[in-house]
Amino acid sequence: MGTVETLTGRNKKFAESEYDASLRMRPALATIVIGCVDARVDPAVVLGAAPGEIMAIRNVGGRVTPRTLEELFMLRNVAQAVDDDIDSAWDLIVLQHTQCGIRRIGDRPELLAPYFDVAENRLATMLVDDPYGAVALDVSVLRADERLGSARVSGLVYDVATGRVETVATR
């Protein structure tokens, strides 16, 4: 059996026994986590979130890039279209991790500069090799973007060797 067949078979079991039609588009914890696509770092699993409690945006490195900011702004507009808002009742959490694969391409400015939308000579300021510094940087970028309203912004680093998260920035 191939991967697609395995996964669709699992979906059938999910639909029969775990599916919850009462879940809403707005997450129960009013939280959006920006995390890495690394299979070891699923935000819902790492943070113990139940289905429907959080939203997750995942990208390479779990970074706040210009595209991430656009996606968050779009989500805010979706919320406003249904008489909600991503405001002070919401949390935005940046979740990065140790041993991230993005570090393995730190010497590839032709990939990283467009990803971060910076000149190659500014790549060092993106702190690709430092998840703690990168989280602090990305939290400051989120806090400075006025389009995102008054959501609380925090930053965490997940240690893939221990399974624990450490708070780097909170508000």
Side-chain angles (χ1 to χ4, degrees), residues 9 19 35 37 41 49-50 54 69 88 97 111 156 166 169-170:
Y19 172 69
V37 295
V41 193
I54 67 170
L69 292 170
S88 62
H97 65 96
L111 294 174
L156 308 172
E166 182 178 338
T170 188

PDB file of all heavy atoms in Angstrom, residues 9 19 35 37 41 49-50 54 69 88 97 111 156 166 169-170:
ATOM      1  N   GLY A   9      -6.859   5.943   4.049  1.00  0.00           N
ATOM      2  CA  GLY A   9      -7.445   4.942   4.938  1.00  0.00           C
ATOM      3  C   GLY A   9      -7.548   5.458   6.362  1.00  0.00           C
ATOM      4  O   GLY A   9      -8.552   5.248   7.053  1.00  0.00           O
ATOM      5  N   TYR A  19     -13.995  12.763  13.900  1.00  0.00           N
ATOM      6  CA  TYR A  19     -14.422  14.006  13.268  1.00  0.00           C
ATOM      7  C   TYR A  19     -15.389  14.754  14.173  1.00  0.00           C
ATOM      8  O   TYR A  19     -16.292  14.182  14.764  1.00  0.00           O
ATOM      9  CB  TYR A  19     -15.072  13.718  11.918  1.00  0.00           C
ATOM     10  CG  TYR A  19     -15.699  14.929  11.285  1.00  0.00           C
ATOM     11  CD1 TYR A  19     -14.915  15.968  10.807  1.00  0.00           C
ATOM     12  CD2 TYR A  19     -17.082  15.041  11.178  1.00  0.00           C
ATOM     13  CE1 TYR A  19     -15.484  17.089  10.238  1.00  0.00           C
ATOM     14  CE2 TYR A  19     -17.669  16.158  10.608  1.00  0.00           C
ATOM     15  CZ  TYR A  19     -16.865  17.176  10.137  1.00  0.00           C
ATOM     16  OH  TYR A  19     -17.434  18.289   9.580  1.00  0.00           O
ATOM     17  N   GLY A  35       5.171  28.300  12.863  1.00  0.00           N
ATOM     18  CA  GLY A  35       6.176  27.292  13.149  1.00  0.00           C
ATOM     19  C   GLY A  35       6.817  26.738  11.896  1.00  0.00           C
ATOM     20  O   GLY A  35       6.437  27.052  10.772  1.00  0.00           O
ATOM     21  N   VAL A  37       8.141  23.775   9.188  1.00  0.00           N
ATOM     22  CA  VAL A  37       7.532  22.611   8.528  1.00  0.00           C
ATOM     23  C   VAL A  37       8.177  21.296   8.956  1.00  0.00           C
ATOM     24  O   VAL A  37       7.674  20.228   8.610  1.00  0.00           O
ATOM     25  CB  VAL A  37       7.605  22.728   6.982  1.00  0.00           C
ATOM     26  CG1 VAL A  37       6.778  23.889   6.500  1.00  0.00           C
ATOM     27  CG2 VAL A  37       9.039  22.832   6.502  1.00  0.00           C
ATOM     28  N   VAL A  41       8.300  18.979  14.583  1.00  0.00           N
ATOM     29  CA  VAL A  41       7.869  20.165  15.306  1.00  0.00           C
ATOM     30  C   VAL A  41       6.453  20.590  14.899  1.00  0.00           C
ATOM     31  O   VAL A  41       6.200  21.731  14.551  1.00  0.00           O
ATOM     32  CB  VAL A  41       8.875  21.327  15.086  1.00  0.00           C
ATOM     33  CG1 VAL A  41       8.610  22.459  16.067  1.00  0.00           C
ATOM     34  CG2 VAL A  41      10.312  20.855  15.224  1.00  0.00           C
ATOM     35  N   ALA A  49      -2.000  20.984  21.924  1.00  0.00           N
ATOM     36  CA  ALA A  49      -3.284  21.579  21.544  1.00  0.00           C
ATOM     37  C   ALA A  49      -4.220  20.514  20.987  1.00  0.00           C
ATOM     38  O   ALA A  49      -3.822  19.669  20.190  1.00  0.00           O
ATOM     39  CB  ALA A  49      -3.082  22.677  20.513  1.00  0.00           C
ATOM     40  N   ALA A  50      -5.459  20.586  21.393  1.00  0.00           N
ATOM     41  CA  ALA A  50      -6.495  19.699  20.881  1.00  0.00           C
ATOM     42  C   ALA A  50      -6.989  20.224  19.534  1.00  0.00           C
ATOM     43  O   ALA A  50      -6.794  21.403  19.206  1.00  0.00           O
ATOM     44  CB  ALA A  50      -7.650  19.633  21.879  1.00  0.00           C
ATOM     45  N   ILE A  54      -5.952  25.775  18.071  1.00  0.00           N
ATOM     46  CA  ILE A  54      -5.017  26.741  17.494  1.00  0.00           C
ATOM     47  C   ILE A  54      -5.041  26.660  15.974  1.00  0.00           C
ATOM     48  O   ILE A  54      -5.472  25.663  15.402  1.00  0.00           O
ATOM     49  CB  ILE A  54      -3.563  26.521  17.982  1.00  0.00           C
ATOM     50  CG1 ILE A  54      -3.003  25.190  17.463  1.00  0.00           C
ATOM     51  CG2 ILE A  54      -3.465  26.643  19.489  1.00  0.00           C
ATOM     52  CD1 ILE A  54      -1.516  24.995  17.693  1.00  0.00           C
ATOM     53  N   LEU A  69       3.691  37.732   6.960  1.00  0.00           N
ATOM     54  CA  LEU A  69       2.944  38.924   7.361  1.00  0.00           C
ATOM     55  C   LEU A  69       1.718  39.123   6.475  1.00  0.00           C
ATOM     56  O   LEU A  69       0.635  39.447   6.979  1.00  0.00           O
ATOM     57  CB  LEU A  69       3.845  40.166   7.303  1.00  0.00           C
ATOM     58  CG  LEU A  69       4.970  40.200   8.335  1.00  0.00           C
ATOM     59  CD1 LEU A  69       5.934  41.334   8.029  1.00  0.00           C
ATOM     60  CD2 LEU A  69       4.413  40.303   9.742  1.00  0.00           C
ATOM     61  N   SER A  88      -6.679  42.106  20.680  1.00  0.00           N
ATOM     62  CA  SER A  88      -6.027  41.864  21.965  1.00  0.00           C
ATOM     63  C   SER A  88      -6.474  40.578  22.650  1.00  0.00           C
ATOM     64  O   SER A  88      -5.845  40.138  23.610  1.00  0.00           O
ATOM     65  CB  SER A  88      -6.248  43.055  22.901  1.00  0.00           C
ATOM     66  OG  SER A  88      -7.630  43.224  23.147  1.00  0.00           O
ATOM     67  N   HIS A  97      12.861  26.178  16.479  1.00  0.00           N
ATOM     68  CA  HIS A  97      13.406  25.017  17.185  1.00  0.00           C
ATOM     69  C   HIS A  97      14.906  24.866  16.963  1.00  0.00           C
ATOM     70  O   HIS A  97      15.473  25.440  16.030  1.00  0.00           O
ATOM     71  CB  HIS A  97      12.678  23.739  16.761  1.00  0.00           C
ATOM     72  CG  HIS A  97      12.876  23.378  15.322  1.00  0.00           C
ATOM     73  ND1 HIS A  97      13.822  22.484  14.914  1.00  0.00           N
ATOM     74  CD2 HIS A  97      12.247  23.803  14.200  1.00  0.00           C
ATOM     75  CE1 HIS A  97      13.768  22.358  13.601  1.00  0.00           C
ATOM     76  NE2 HIS A  97      12.818  23.153  13.136  1.00  0.00           N
ATOM     77  N   LEU A 111      19.135  31.475  -2.094  1.00  0.00           N
ATOM     78  CA  LEU A 111      17.862  30.940  -1.584  1.00  0.00           C
ATOM     79  C   LEU A 111      17.300  31.805  -0.464  1.00  0.00           C
ATOM     80  O   LEU A 111      16.102  32.095  -0.426  1.00  0.00           O
ATOM     81  CB  LEU A 111      18.053  29.510  -1.052  1.00  0.00           C
ATOM     82  CG  LEU A 111      18.419  28.429  -2.038  1.00  0.00           C
ATOM     83  CD1 LEU A 111      18.698  27.125  -1.301  1.00  0.00           C
ATOM     84  CD2 LEU A 111      17.313  28.237  -3.055  1.00  0.00           C
ATOM     85  N   LEU A 156       8.719  31.284  21.275  1.00  0.00           N
ATOM     86  CA  LEU A 156       9.173  30.076  21.950  1.00  0.00           C
ATOM     87  C   LEU A 156      10.224  29.378  21.100  1.00  0.00           C
ATOM     88  O   LEU A 156      10.192  29.457  19.869  1.00  0.00           O
ATOM     89  CB  LEU A 156       8.015  29.096  22.155  1.00  0.00           C
ATOM     90  CG  LEU A 156       6.737  29.605  22.813  1.00  0.00           C
ATOM     91  CD1 LEU A 156       5.643  28.545  22.742  1.00  0.00           C
ATOM     92  CD2 LEU A 156       7.016  30.005  24.247  1.00  0.00           C
ATOM     93  N   GLU A 166      11.045  26.679  25.451  1.00  0.00           N
ATOM     94  CA  GLU A 166      11.518  27.747  26.325  1.00  0.00           C
ATOM     95  C   GLU A 166      10.942  29.048  25.821  1.00  0.00           C
ATOM     96  O   GLU A 166      10.952  29.330  24.612  1.00  0.00           O
ATOM     97  CB  GLU A 166      13.042  27.814  26.264  1.00  0.00           C
ATOM     98  CG  GLU A 166      13.641  28.857  27.162  1.00  0.00           C
ATOM     99  CD  GLU A 166      15.167  28.874  27.110  1.00  0.00           C
ATOM    100  OE1 GLU A 166      15.769  27.862  26.724  1.00  0.00           O
ATOM    101  OE2 GLU A 166      15.731  29.922  27.457  1.00  0.00           O
ATOM    102  N   ALA A 169      10.276  35.314  24.372  1.00  0.00           N
ATOM    103  CA  ALA A 169       9.649  36.633  24.437  1.00  0.00           C
ATOM    104  C   ALA A 169       8.175  36.440  24.710  1.00  0.00           C
ATOM    105  O   ALA A 169       7.544  35.530  24.169  1.00  0.00           O
ATOM    106  CB  ALA A 169       9.839  37.381  23.125  1.00  0.00           C
ATOM    107  N   THR A 170       7.625  37.289  25.574  1.00  0.00           N
ATOM    108  CA  THR A 170       6.194  37.204  25.864  1.00  0.00           C
ATOM    109  C   THR A 170       5.635  38.594  26.116  1.00  0.00           C
ATOM    110  O   THR A 170       6.352  39.490  26.516  1.00  0.00           O
ATOM    111  CB  THR A 170       5.921  36.273  27.068  1.00  0.00           C
ATOM    112  OG1 THR A 170       4.515  36.088  27.182  1.00  0.00           O
ATOM    113  CG2 THR A 170       6.475  36.831  28.349  1.00  0.00           C
TER     114      THR A 170
END
